[in-house]
Amino acid sequence: MKKEADTKELPNTAAFQDEFTRSLLDSPEEVKEGYYLFKSKTGGYSMLWPKNAVTDGPPFYQRTKDSFEKIIFYDRNEKGNYRYSFSTTYSTYGESAIDSSLNLLSSGVSYFGEYKKIETDKTHIYFAKSEKSYEGATGYFFFSYITSKESQKGLEYIYSAECIDYSKSNCNIEIKKEEEKALHYMKSVKFNKE
């Protein structure tokens, strides 16, 4: 995509109005209503990107050649009183290092329970959820390690949902709905063959 494109011609979404985020996306055409396609520069995978989610440059975006990529991105809406955070980490370990990958994920999110294994046509998703309360507020976390059935590739995916201001009456996060959304994002991950 041309980085020098006039921002007036681009979609009026947070993702395309932000220069760095725009540089990561495949096209200004939505692939599904509300979503753009993120194709990794590692060549290893692609996933849906919410139209109002943005990321900043390093350290929120890091890549090592074709074997590692970490992105922290977020969708924040003051008027709607919500904040969604995403963190994805791509590696070329896949199923062969699933135990150590799940241990790393568990310690990163302070979760020490079991993972539910969900199968799609081309991936295994090791999924779990938790909630954390702090200062009277609760954040809901949905996380997984996704592996390719066709190659040694994997993606750690963490999605969290919380209200910006818990004292406001429009602070209502529907946990079931957020879990469905998290699984939708995780199932959208497609790994490229070698």
Side-chain angles (χ1 to χ4, degrees), residues 121-123 147-153 191-194:
D121 287 349
K122 301 202 173 167
T123 63
T147 61
S148 170
K149 290 181 178 179
E150 302 173 316
S151 64
Q152 286 304 317
K153 292 176 179 161
F191 293 101
N192 300 330
K193 290 185 183 175
E194 297 303 334

Side-chain angles (χ1 to χ4, degrees), residues 17 20 49 57 86 89 91 94 107 109-110 131 135 176 185:
Q17 292 300 314
F20 186 79
W49 187 284
F86 305 79
T89 307
S91 65
S107 61
V109 294
S110 302
E131 56 184 72
E135 297 173 16
K176 191 75 196 135
Y185 291 133

Side-chain angles (χ1 to χ4, degrees), residues 115-131:
Y115 285 84
K116 177 179 167 186
K117 188 174 180 180
I118 300 165
E119 202 162 328
T120 71
D121 287 349
K122 301 202 173 167
T123 63
H124 289 128
I125 301 170
Y126 297 84
F127 176 80
K129 59 188 175 181
S130 67
E131 56 184 72

Side-chain angles (χ1 to χ4, degrees), residues 2 12 24 42 54 78 84 89 97 101 107 113-115 117 141 144 152 156 158-159 166 184:
K2 294 188 304 199
N12 190 20
L24 299 175
T42 63
V54 295
E78 299 284 342
Y84 301 128
T89 307
S101 296
S107 61
E114 296 294 312
Y115 285 84
K117 188 174 180 180
F141 296 82
S144 66
Q152 286 304 317
E156 177 186 284
I158 303 167
Y159 169 71
Y166 282 82
H184 174 69

Side-chain angles (χ1 to χ4, degrees), residues 1 3 15-16 18-27 36-41 47 49 54-57 60-63 69-73:
M1 223 190 84
K3 288 193 185 73
F16 265 90
D18 179 80
E19 189 178 344
F20 186 79
T21 304
R22 180 171 68 241
S23 74
L24 299 175
L25 300 174
D26 189 50
S27 156
Y36 298 115
L37 183 66
F38 167 83
K39 276 188 187 171
S40 171
K41 294 196 175 36
M47 64 183 179
W49 187 284
V54 295
T55 185
D56 299 316
F60 300 97
Y61 177 82
Q62 302 167 33
R63 180 166 69 93
E69 183 172 51
K70 182 172 183 74
I71 313 169
I72 297 170
F73 51 112

